[in-house]
Amino acid sequence: PPIKFFYHKTKEDPRSYFDKNKKNILIFDVQPQRLLALTTLGFENDYYSYQNSKKFINDIVALKNQNNNFNLIIKRKRESILADRRYLNLIKAYSSDNSLIEADTIHAPEDLILYSDIVISMPYTSTALIAQSQKKPSVFYDSTGMLFDSPYNDLPIISSIKSLEDWVNKVIDSK
């Protein structure tokens, strides 16, 4: 089983993000870092770039806009001064227009997964494994189409918005 994350206790109940009348899709991203932070470390071409992360989020929000029978909750890893501000602004904009709900970064992933119906993770975050261990439908979504094989044999990687839509609908229909 995956290693349990340690987070500070919070008074906010993680259930407050979830709508009992809808299916709840929990999203785990890998937030992009500022370009200056990346180049300082010697990275010039990073999979977790702003463009790729933006497409990841935009694709999932587009699914919700097509089919409003589910609730989107995003859990970013943690607050960081190195995070790309454009990405943070994108999340804030989607949160402001109710396209998605941003869970406080202080919550442990396990606590949020417990109340979710479906988990979509950016490759290859360990949260997908945690969801799987909690018997939640879980998938890696590669919005770039660059990745084909998952290092975790029984965790699928989906590489197109159409395939993601089909997978989400199949899971929702089976519940």
Side-chain angles (χ1 to χ4, degrees), residues 27-158:
I27 306 164
F28 290 99
D29 66 352
V30 177
Q31 66 188 7
Q33 302 298 302
R34 290 185 192 179
L35 193 55
L36 179 62
L38 291 173
T39 53
T40 302
L41 295 171
F43 295 110
E44 292 180 30
N45 190 6
D46 182 28
Y47 176 82
Y48 303 110
S49 68
Y50 168 70
Q51 291 303 327
N52 291 353
S53 298
K54 178 182 172 185
K55 183 162 176 22
F56 173 83
I57 294 298
N58 285 345
D59 285 358
I60 297 170
V61 168
L63 283 181
K64 181 181 188 271
N65 292 340
Q66 292 172 9
N67 181 355
N68 200 24
N69 69 344
F70 56 82
N71 191 32
L72 288 180
I73 303 101
I74 186 167
K75 165 67 169 75
R76 293 185 304 111
K77 192 166 188 167
R78 67 181 60 95
E79 296 296 330
S80 170
I81 61 170
L82 298 178
D84 191 309
R85 296 223 184 273
R86 297 171 297 174
Y87 183 73
L88 299 178
N89 289 335
L90 177 69
I91 298 299
K92 191 180 295 181
Y94 278 141
S95 186
S96 294
D97 76 4
N98 296 319
S99 294
L100 58 78
I101 298 165
E102 184 178 6
D104 194 323
T105 57
I106 202 160
H107 290 292
E110 296 90 344
D111 296 339
L112 294 168
I113 291 169
L114 185 65
Y115 301 107
S116 69
D117 296 299
I118 298 170
V119 175
I120 301 172
S121 299
M122 193 175 247
Y124 291 105
T125 60
S126 60
T127 51
L129 296 170
I130 296 167
Q132 183 184 47
S133 75
Q134 290 188 16
K135 308 286 189 245
K136 300 289 183 174
S138 179
V139 69
F140 290 118
Y141 176 53
D142 167 34
S143 61
T144 69
M146 293 171 32
L147 307 175
F148 296 102
D149 295 321
S150 172
Y152 310 103
N153 295 335
D154 49 353
L155 260 174
I157 185 162
I158 292 177

Side-chain angles (χ1 to χ4, degrees), residues 14-32:
R15 289 177 287 196
S16 66
Y17 302 113
F18 298 90
D19 185 337
K20 294 176 188 169
N21 300 315
K22 293 184 176 185
K23 297 298 180 192
N24 292 282
I25 299 177
L26 183 58
I27 306 164
F28 290 99
D29 66 352
V30 177
Q31 66 188 7

